Amino acid sequence: MSQATYGERPRAVAQRLRSGLRAVGQALPPPRDDGFRQVVGGTRLLLTGRRRSAALAAGTAPGSPPEHQPPAGFELPKPPRVDVTSWSVPPTTGLSGRSSTYDTGARPPRFDVELLEQLNAEYASKPLVTRAPSYKAETLAESARGRVLWVHRTVDLRGMRVLEVGCGSGYETWYAAHGLGADAHGVDVVEWDSWKDLRGERTTFHATDLALDNPFLAESFDRLMSFTVWEHVRHPYELLEQAYRLLAPGGLAWIRANLHAGPKASHRYRQIHFPWPHLLFSDDVIADWDRLHGRETTGAAWVNRLSWAHYEQYFDQIGFDVVRRVFTRTPLDEEFFARFEDVLGRYPRWDLETDYFLVVLRKPLPGEGRAHTARK
């Protein structure tokens, strides 16, 4: 027996097996999916002695989107079988003379330090952000009081068990406890010096990454709040999963975050005056430009690349109800967009105009049906 003949035989057996299984699947009465999986699972067990994993046998895997269910009573049309042997063959000719599908126009500019310097000079008199927030301790404490009242007016923090994700200096956590009587806990990946003065009977702080190391018991909190932190998270989906785990049934999460394609998402508006530098220039170019001006940095501030569509899908997959959502938008700079449409045109215009979202999520009660996403 030749080596080629020996190699052909297993493939022929596999082909006959697939054809047989297909015929069995077509002969099964509706619903065919479950029955076909049982047939395939039984055949696998017979031939290999191994069962499929429960998740794969059910057609799902961890983190996969929920299975789509068609409308009741709807079935896709079943076309007749086609005899492809009767099809004619198209004429084949040379493929020379092909042209590009898209006319890309003139050669785009080099996105280098020289162009960054030029654009920054152009926008120095009309900066994207006219007044950047201050990081002085007194200013942070004052703005923290306003932030906590902002959350409270939406979800009521009085006397609640509250977790702040990405608490930073800790002033918001402190105000939740001392102003609203909450049992308040703050979490950040970095331990801040201010924590030692803010800790107390109703205020605790933890330095940890909740996505990787969660020190709290499930259903420990009635409320969760987070201020422009989620865009900096390296494992945003896992952190949302932990948020869901930590909330008690009926609990609410108030989250505000920056979206990646927004004009301000680079977080560099103190020095860079024009929009979307992080979409046009690499981190290396921005770092070289900083060094040219005597600053040692690594480029644009690190943010993950999530759009609102990502977040919306994550909320649904994890099981949250979206009970409120609000967007903060900046009108599109049409002239600037037209100059760099070869890059910016790859993003939806809505994404390019949307800087922040504010969302209120609710963990459903046991046995409660999923609510529709709020539209606002």
Side-chain angles (χ1 to χ4, degrees):
M1 181 182 296
S2 69
Q3 184 176 3
T5 304
Y6 181 81
E8 292 279 340
R9 196 163 280 181
R11 285 197 292 271
V13 171
Q15 180 62 42
R16 286 196 297 274
L17 180 58
R18 282 195 294 270
S19 298
L21 288 174
R22 192 177 300 112
V24 171
Q26 291 172 347
L28 289 170
R32 294 186 178 90
D33 290 347
D34 292 339
F36 189 64
R37 277 198 290 268
Q38 292 174 9
V39 171
V40 172
T43 305
R44 176 186 173 87
L45 179 62
L46 178 64
L47 295 178
T48 67
R50 297 194 301 256
R51 295 184 183 273
R52 302 178 75 191
S53 70
L56 292 177
T60 61
S64 64
E67 185 176 351
H68 174 70
Q69 297 295 331
F74 174 81
E75 284 192 17
L76 289 171
K78 296 179 175 58
R81 300 178 70 86
V82 176
D83 180 11
V84 297
T85 60
S86 64
W87 285 18
S88 58
V89 178
T92 56
T93 58
L95 298 179
S96 61
R98 289 178 296 171
S99 62
S100 172
T101 304
Y102 299 101
D103 179 8
T104 56
R107 187 177 182 84
R110 287 176 57 87
F111 293 99
D112 54 15
V113 171
E114 183 179 355
L115 179 60
L116 197 160
E117 185 84 346
Q118 173 193 332
L119 293 175
N120 215 37
E122 289 180 27
Y123 274 74
S125 61
K126 49 177 181 179
L128 178 65
V129 176
T130 56
R131 185 178 179 183
S134 171
Y135 288 141
K136 293 181 179 180
E138 298 80 6
T139 306
L140 288 175
E142 179 63 26
S143 63
R145 181 170 60 180
R147 283 179 162 185
V148 169
L149 289 173
W150 186 10
V151 178
H152 172 64
R153 286 193 294 266
T154 309
V155 298
D156 186 8
L157 300 178
R158 288 174 299 177
M160 299 288 182
R161 299 171 297 167
V162 176
L163 174 66
E164 183 182 1
V165 176
C167 65
S169 59
Y171 293 121
E172 287 87 357
T173 304
W174 189 90
Y175 270 118
H178 291 77
L180 297 169
D183 178 13
H185 300 257
V187 173
D188 203 292
V189 294
V190 175
E191 183 167 354
W192 289 61
D193 291 339
S194 53
W195 290 1
K196 63 179 182 296
D197 298 321
L198 300 178
R199 282 191 174 98
E201 183 179 348
R202 303 182 64 85
T203 312
T204 63
F205 297 97
H206 306 263
T208 186
D209 182 347
L210 285 180
L212 304 177
D213 182 21
N214 191 337
F216 303 107
L217 297 176
E219 302 183 1
S220 293
F221 299 99
D222 308 301
R223 300 288 187 267
L224 181 148
M225 61 183 183
S226 182
F227 304 92
T228 56
V229 168
W230 235 273
E231 67 267 27
H232 301 293
V233 172
R234 295 187 181 276
H235 307 282
Y237 183 89
E238 288 79 3
L239 186 58
L240 283 169
E241 283 189 313
Q242 291 303 318
Y244 187 91
R245 173 180 173 271
L246 290 176
L247 280 174
L252 300 172
W254 188 104
I255 298 173
R256 187 172 189 257
N258 208 190
L259 293 167
H260 175 254
K264 302 173 185 175
S266 74
H267 289 58
R268 291 300 309 274
Y269 39 75
R270 284 178 172 79
Q271 298 89 21
I272 301 179
H273 306 309
F274 57 90
W276 308 294
H278 60 299
L279 301 184
L280 298 175
F281 297 91
S282 69
D283 280 355
D284 289 342
V285 169
I286 296 176
D288 288 343
W289 178 78
D290 277 325
R291 283 188 281 271
L292 180 66
H293 290 272
R295 294 185 295 265
E296 286 292 330
T297 71
T298 57
W302 192 92
V303 295
N304 57 47
R305 298 178 181 271
L306 297 191
S307 67
W308 171 250
H310 290 115
Y311 280 104
E312 198 166 34
Q313 180 183 10
Y314 292 173
F315 300 153
D316 184 67
Q317 288 178 211
I318 291 169
F320 279 115
D321 284 333
V322 179
V323 297
R324 187 181 184 192
R325 62 181 191 179
V326 179
F327 301 100
T328 302
R329 309 184 67 193
T330 300
L332 196 71
D333 186 328
E334 295 287 355
E335 181 182 354
F336 191 91
F337 175 83
R339 288 172 66 181
F340 302 104
E341 188 173 1
D342 57 319
V343 175
L344 299 177
R346 304 172 193 178
Y347 298 88
R349 290 172 69 95
W350 187 91
D351 287 4
L352 292 173
E353 292 180 315
T354 308
D355 279 307
Y356 301 94
F357 71 84
L358 188 166
V359 67
V360 178
L361 308 172
R362 179 176 178 269
K363 182 175 181 176
L365 297 170
E368 187 177 52
R370 294 287 302 281
H372 294 292
T373 299
R375 300 289 177 185
K376 182 173 181 180

